[in-house]
Amino acid sequence: MRIYSIGLIRKAFTRTMGTALLTGLFLILSPLANAAETPFIWWPEADYDPAVPTLEQVVGHETGTKISWHAQIVAYFRALEAYAPDRVKLFSYGKTWEGRELIYAAITSPANMARLDDIRAGMKALADPRVTDAARARTLTGDLPAIVWLAYSVHGNEISPSDAAMQTAYHLLAARGDDRVAGMLDNTVVIINPLQNPDGRDRFIHRFETTLGLEPDSDPLSAEHNEPWPNGRTNHYLFDMNRDWIILTQPETRGHVAALQDWYPQVFVDLHEMGGNSTYYFAPEAVPYNPHLAQNQRDSLFLFGRTNAKWFDRFGFDYFTRDIFDAFYPGYGASWPAYYGAISMTYEQASSRGLLFRRNDGSEFDYRSTVRQHFVASLATIETTATNRQKLLDDFYDFQVTAIEEGRNDRTQRTYLFPGTRDRAGTRKLMGILAEQGIEISRAEAEFRACGQSYPAGTHVIDTAQPRKRMIRTLLDRQIDMEADFVRIQEARRARDLPHDIYDVTGWSLPVMFNVDMETCGRPVTTGLVPVTMDRIATGTLSNPEASVAFLSPWGDMAAGRLLAAALRAELTVKTHDEGFNHQGRVWPAGTLIFDVADNAADLGATLTALAAETGAEIVGVSSSWVDSGKDFGSRAVRTVPRIRVAMAWDDPTSSYAAGNTRFVLERQIGYPVTAIRTDALKTADLTRYHVLILPGEGFGGSYMDTLGETGAATLKDWVRRGGVLVGTHTALRYLTHEKIKLLSTARENQPRGDEAAGTSGDEKSRVAATIINSRDDMRALLTPATELPDSLPGVLVHANVDGDHWLGAGVAPTLSVLARGRDIYAPVAMDKARTVAWFAGADDLLASGYIWQENREQMAYKPFALVESAGRGYVIGFTQDPTVRAYLDGLNVILANAVFRGAAHARPVR
Ligand SMILES: [Zn+2]
């Protein structure tokens, strides 16, 4: 495809990378370079105004001849703004973990730019029919431009979108021959977020440029096309930010969601890349659709798809629609905006993952051609928005009107109530995250009754008679069902041993993942409520700062977890009570933290007051250590938590997601530093200075068995026996339980079988015993492997029960929500080998949210989730599923903190 352009890209590359001498050599050696320099055609009719700055003028390369760095992208948009402040305005919406600026640009006609603040206010008015009646809305929708938001490259190694973003902006300002442009600028405000993941993109480019030679190489085998761990897809903490929109753990997503609510764009597109052997994907999305999408949103996907198709046909670009990328999970960039009322879409371009790419069929394509396809789709989307301006604005307002009506008429789930009596900090954080997504929340000033139940003062209340009703339902409901037809097809595929087509997790209910109490009521709560806005962390309290004996803080939520981490970092002496006790009429839970006045500096009260404020913890000073019942503070039930050093495996074969997510939870949610150690170094490392080592699950780059093997196991065993705490999660248990390793005494289970599969021959020779097959079923039985693993789960929330008497379960909720993924189910293990501290619930109680295969439901019941095995002076702790996946299982943070801190407090190293 377009050989001339590949010649040009090789030549352009040599010009920018090489010296004059090298360029001379290249011109002599390369026949391609002798071809006439045909200019690359971005848009056939476009005649670009030479006064508008080009990318080459600003950063030194033509669009598509290099992969532009974050700094170059920012510089280019600044240059456009400086050149045409009457049409371009830049906004900053935050910084990445590594300090790179996050920007977006609004581009529109001078007339619209002059009233940009009014347009923004108009969108906010349309978003709330309670303050904007139908007549006023009609005036607004008749007058306002529509807003279309194009967001590029959330995955940093998906490179062409960001360069297409710059070409799109340039075209809107400079194209004189494309007669659509004037209408686009008059009828829309185009908002371009050119790069959602600067840290990941720069990581990709740095690695890519390091591998380059004389000319770009199209071979998929070349180093140019293969990224080391961690690849550029993720951000600094190795998050897939395209799953983060409902939970907002990362600053990039958080800032983006806040920015969207400044503008309420009616159209949102997230532009990605997929494998190089594919073509181009745009809307409509594949089934299943989330049931809380409105009908006109589903219909409008076809409007956009058809205009895109028209231009793709004209230019001869291949594409596909209605396949693979579904509209069910609400946490994608291309899903979340739908729940405030946008038409929300994903576009996917086959990636050159470099400057040139060779497909499996031998044909080549260059980076510039991929940039062009995203550019054409971007313009087509703006065109569709402009030509459907009035309809899109009317639909947007109607979405809000019907949302409120549906909420108001709901006789079963009108109101969601969060009493917050258990896990106050988790409830508070959840409310903060919902508020950041625009959900209105109230708090009860006094005790009240609703639907026959009594609720305490401080209960948070969400009334669904508000514009975000559909978002509330999709984020909070315990169960969202996939379309029945779709489920039937998936089950039929499984029955024929074909893979299912479920794209992502099937359960994401936030109250389930946070494991906080929520109830619903079919009536509004009408009295005693005050609207609240809030941060995720409440200010904590310390009472009786002059206490003479100790300060106590109840364990069981992440406020206490943050307090423990902060206290250790502040070098306080902290003890924990494994069993709980009664003291002066108050019940203190297992795990309660004790700060003895005698063990700490004289300013302990002041230090703890500051720590309470920052962590949200409740701290109570006491002037007597006498307990009414339970074990005394000087008993064996009380342990000192050492100032631990935590290490974790980092790099292949560790999953970058699991490693990054786990490090994030420990460092940024709990507040404790983690030392990342390259996995292969662990094979022989002296780990003496570490108390805890975490082995996160395996990724796609090999296995711990290959990397660490028996030598690594000997190193780890020796370290554990001397007092180390080894914590393995999810697929890391394949290694810990391997028959040659046996760091943990359980084993992965196969699929259960009847005796029908016993017929395969065990004959080692070249001939086998004859069989007579009487039916298709008999044939199937013979074709079935003798042993198989359970079918892989795409992701479902299940319940696990906890032994609160064991230190690993101290202060932990009696029932947990665990995201079960994959096919690893572990066998029960006898108590003399290991303690099963948390286990999956019985089959009837197992499902918390989502869809689970029936066989897995039966097989998982009562199987271990959390195990502790004692070895010498240390412990091996195993979680059979990942407790930190996407950092969104907040309800598992207490048991994780127990594994790390309490595990270290129970180990007995001699140092
Ligand atoms: Zn992507």
Side-chain angles (χ1 to χ4, degrees):
M1 168 180 178
R2 280 186 298 280
I3 291 300
Y4 70 91
S5 84
I6 288 171
L8 275 183
I9 204 162
R10 286 202 164 110
K11 200 167 133 193
F13 167 80
T14 309
R15 198 163 59 227
T16 53
M17 280 288 288
T19 61
L21 174 66
L22 187 60
T23 309
L25 268 176
F26 184 77
L27 286 170
I28 293 160
L29 295 175
S30 168
L32 285 168
N34 294 328
E37 256 200 58
T38 317
F40 186 81
I41 305 295
W42 289 98
W43 191 265
E45 290 80 22
D47 153 35
Y48 290 109
D49 178 353
V52 181
T54 63
L55 185 64
E56 186 174 26
Q57 286 160 359
V58 177
V59 309
H61 63 260
E62 283 176 51
T63 304
T65 59
K66 291 187 77 175
I67 306 160
S68 304
W69 293 83
H70 166 260
Q72 295 176 325
I73 295 167
V74 174
Y76 186 61
F77 276 95
R78 289 217 188 291
L80 292 182
E81 184 189 41
Y83 168 75
D86 61 331
R87 286 174 286 165
V88 183
K89 188 167 166 57
L90 244 59
F91 297 83
S92 180
Y93 70 94
K95 283 228 160 82
T96 67
W97 289 113
E98 294 173 14
R100 293 184 178 86
E101 190 184 7
L102 295 158
I103 61 158
Y104 62 87
I107 303 178
T108 189
S109 67
N112 286 333
M113 188 56 78
R115 56 168 187 155
L116 202 59
D117 288 342
D118 291 343
I119 293 169
R120 196 146 47 150
M123 293 307 159
K124 285 185 175 153
L126 283 180
D128 192 352
R130 295 166 301 183
V131 296
T132 308
D133 64 20
R136 170 84 186 127
R138 264 195 304 280
T139 310
L140 287 170
T141 62
D143 170 56
L144 291 171
I147 298 185
V148 48
W149 191 293
L150 305 171
Y152 298 84
S153 293
V154 68
H155 294 136
N157 59 2
E158 298 176 4
I159 44 186
S160 63
S162 294
D163 278 296
M166 294 191 286
Q167 182 63 25
T168 302
Y170 173 69
H171 188 90
L172 290 173
L173 298 173
R176 291 187 294 207
D178 182 353
D179 54 16
R180 302 172 303 168
V181 168
M184 290 179 186
L185 296 183
D186 285 344
N187 289 295
T188 72
V189 175
V190 181
I191 297 189
I192 292 179
N193 179 345
L195 178 52
Q196 301 175 69
N197 181 4
D199 292 352
R201 183 178 181 89
D202 280 6
R203 184 191 311 142
F204 175 90
I205 298 175
H206 175 78
R207 188 278 320 163
F208 172 73
E209 294 201 341
T210 304
T211 59
L212 283 168
L214 176 63
E215 62 176 27
D217 198 319
S218 66
D219 191 342
L221 262 182
S222 68
E224 281 162 62
H225 293 283
N226 291 284
E227 296 175 76
W229 194 105
N231 66 28
R233 176 180 175 89
T234 49
N235 74 342
H236 175 77
Y237 269 105
L238 310 184
F239 275 66
D240 180 344
M241 294 192 290
N242 196 32
R243 303 294 185 276
D244 192 49
W245 285 62
I246 54 175
I247 190 84
L248 303 179
T249 64
Q250 301 303 299
E252 295 91 340
T253 334
R254 230 174 149 174
H256 206 176
V257 159
L260 280 177
Q261 295 176 82
D262 250 359
W263 293 92
Y264 287 121
Q266 287 74 48
V267 179
F268 181 94
V269 185
D270 205 13
L271 293 95
H272 291 253
E273 285 189 341
M274 55 190 164
N277 283 292
S278 193
T279 58
Y280 195 98
Y281 163 83
F282 50 74
E285 331 287 279
V287 288
Y289 279 48
N290 189 294
H292 296 291
L293 294 170
Q295 189 57 46
N296 62 29
Q297 292 179 307
R298 297 163 187 245
D299 297 344
S300 288
L301 296 174
F302 286 81
L303 273 182
F304 286 90
R306 284 177 192 282
T307 311
N308 290 353
K310 178 183 78 180
W311 292 112
F312 273 54
D313 283 345
R314 172 174 169 191
F315 297 122
F317 303 158
D318 287 337
Y319 65 86
F320 67 94
T321 65
R322 289 161 284 189
D323 195 14
I324 304 175
F325 306 101
D326 69 28
F328 187 59
Y329 176 70
Y332 306 127
S335 313
W336 184 87
Y339 301 95
Y340 74 72
I343 311 306
S344 212
M345 297 173 285
T346 307
Y347 295 174
E348 298 267 355
Q349 163 68 46
S351 182
S352 58
R353 214 64 102 213
L355 290 173
L356 284 178
F357 187 79
R358 202 177 72 232
R359 295 187 187 88
N360 291 342
D361 67 6
S363 62
E364 285 186 328
F365 62 99
D366 66 6
Y367 181 53
R368 193 152 46 175
S369 70
T370 65
V371 174
R372 182 167 180 231
Q373 296 197 165
H374 265 326
F375 158 73
V376 168
S378 297
L379 289 178
T381 305
I382 300 166
E383 177 189 350
T384 311
T385 309
T387 49
N388 294 279
R389 183 198 66 80
Q390 177 90 44
K391 173 190 160 43
L392 291 165
L393 288 168
D394 285 341
D395 284 355
F396 179 72
Y397 180 72
D398 182 63
F399 179 96
Q400 321 300 332
V401 171
T402 54
I404 296 170
E405 272 170 19
E406 286 173 20
R408 192 178 290 133
N409 296 331
D410 194 328
R411 295 286 173 268
T412 56
Q413 283 163 257
R414 167 71 188 260
T415 309
Y416 290 69
L417 302 116
F418 299 85
T421 37
R422 193 179 54 73
D423 199 348
R424 205 172 46 95
T427 304
R428 168 70 178 227
K429 182 178 170 190
L430 174 58
M431 294 302 114
I433 288 168
L434 296 177
E436 284 175 40
Q437 299 182 57
I439 292 171
E440 296 166 8
I441 302 166
S442 301
R443 188 166 49 221
E445 294 287 83
E447 192 179 317
F448 67 99
R449 294 187 70 79
C451 287
Q453 287 249 59
S454 177
Y455 291 92
T459 295
H460 290 101
V461 179
I462 297 177
D463 185 348
T464 58
Q466 62 168 296
R468 289 290 199 282
K469 177 256 172 185
R470 296 182 179 98
M471 186 180 285
I472 293 166
R473 292 292 305 272
T474 199
L475 298 188
L476 299 185
D477 281 6
R478 288 197 179 83
Q479 184 63 27
I480 307 280
D481 288 325
M482 294 182 285
E483 290 144 17
D485 283 351
F486 176 80
V487 173
R488 253 194 307 281
I489 291 165
Q490 303 319 309
E491 290 291 4
R493 290 179 63 86
R494 280 193 336 111
R496 288 181 290 142
D497 285 325
L498 295 170
H500 65 77
D501 293 325
I502 300 175
Y503 191 75
D504 204 82
V505 298
T506 60
W508 57 79
S509 167
L510 296 182
V512 172
M513 296 200 298
F514 276 68
N515 204 22
V516 299
D517 294 329
M518 176 187 78
E519 283 158 54
T520 55
C521 172
R523 289 192 292 276
V525 176
T526 48
T527 53
L529 296 183
V530 286
V532 286
T533 53
M534 62 186 93
D535 301 329
R536 296 177 182 189
I537 297 177
T539 304
T541 56
L542 183 140
S543 55
N544 194 15
E546 304 304 322
S548 60
V549 171
F551 293 89
L552 310 178
S553 185
W555 188 245
D557 66 17
M558 267 310 101
R562 290 187 291 264
L563 173 66
L564 173 57
L568 292 175
R569 291 184 77 195
E571 309 210 325
L572 301 186
T573 299
V574 193
K575 295 174 179 171
T576 81
H577 199 303
D578 280 344
E579 297 181 11
F581 53 94
N582 288 308
H583 181 273
Q584 293 181 345
R586 176 166 174 174
V587 178
W588 291 85
T592 290
L593 304 177
I594 303 169
F595 301 86
D596 279 334
V597 170
D599 293 346
N600 284 288
D603 60 352
L604 178 64
T607 305
L608 286 175
T609 302
L611 292 183
E614 147 196 333
T615 61
E618 184 205 359
I619 304 175
V620 177
V622 296
S623 294
S624 159
S625 66
W626 183 261
V627 298
D628 305 328
S629 63
K631 303 245 174 78
D632 289 306
F633 293 0
S635 74
R636 283 177 14 158
V638 175
R639 308 261 169 168
T640 300
V641 185
R643 276 165 214 149
I644 59 171
R645 291 198 191 87
V646 182
M648 72 183 296
W650 191 257
D651 210 332
D652 277 331
T654 310
S655 152
S656 63
Y657 297 127
N661 296 179
T662 302
R663 190 180 197 185
F664 174 81
V665 168
L666 289 168
E667 292 197 337
R668 301 290 176 171
Q669 292 193 334
I670 299 176
Y672 208 77
V674 174
T675 301
I677 299 178
R678 306 265 175 217
T679 309
D680 60 1
L682 291 172
K683 195 168 181 174
T684 52
D686 178 0
L687 295 168
T688 310
R689 49 192 308 277
Y690 293 98
H691 299 76
V692 178
L693 171 67
I694 299 172
L695 284 190
E698 294 171 348
F700 301 108
S703 67
Y704 285 118
M705 195 61 208
D706 291 343
T707 304
L708 298 176
E710 293 176 64
T711 310
T715 304
L716 295 178
K717 261 180 202 163
D718 180 58
W719 171 75
V720 168
R721 299 197 72 81
R722 290 162 182 268
V725 178
L726 178 61
V727 181
T729 68
H730 201 202
T731 49
L733 267 59
R734 294 176 185 177
Y735 174 63
L736 300 184
T737 63
H738 192 285
E739 57 168 356
K740 290 184 177 152
I741 304 303
K742 280 289 170 209
L743 273 154
L744 195 55
S745 304
T746 173
R748 255 200 311 170
E749 289 190 351
N750 282 316
Q751 235 176 68
R753 281 284 160 73
D755 15 281
E756 83 281 2
T760 43
S761 167
D763 199 324
E764 302 283 346
K765 301 201 181 106
S766 60
R767 277 182 274 176
V768 298
T771 54
I772 304 290
I773 304 175
N774 290 312
S775 69
R776 183 82 192 273
D777 282 350
D778 285 358
M779 185 188 93
R780 276 184 64 87
L782 290 170
L783 298 182
T784 304
T787 60
E788 264 184 304
L789 289 164
D791 250 11
S792 187
L793 291 169
V796 57
L797 289 160
V798 296
H799 288 130
N801 296 316
V802 178
D803 174 3
D805 292 333
H806 189 277
W807 54 259
L808 184 61
V812 175
T815 303
L816 298 172
S817 305
V818 177
L819 186 71
R821 292 184 303 170
R823 47 180 31 178
D824 293 11
I825 299 175
Y826 285 86
V829 48
M831 262 186 276
D832 59 342
K833 296 253 170 41
R835 291 292 299 206
T836 302
V837 181
W839 56 94
F840 294 111
D844 292 344
D845 302 319
L846 187 69
L847 183 66
S849 177
Y851 188 80
I852 187 168
W853 318 128
Q854 183 59 25
E855 313 90 87
N856 295 56
R857 182 202 283 253
E858 289 164 9
Q859 191 180 347
M860 277 182 79
Y862 300 106
K863 299 290 164 59
F865 166 57
L867 294 160
V868 183
E869 185 157 337
S870 175
R873 296 177 166 275
Y875 294 97
V876 179
I877 299 174
F879 292 99
T880 61
Q881 290 286 341
D882 184 354
T884 62
V885 53
R886 297 174 184 173
Y888 66 20
L889 297 172
D890 272 61
L892 296 181
N893 283 355
V894 176
I895 196 168
L896 178 73
N898 279 350
V900 172
F901 295 104
R902 214 170 287 283
H906 277 261
R908 302 173 310 282
V910 178
R911 290 192 206 278

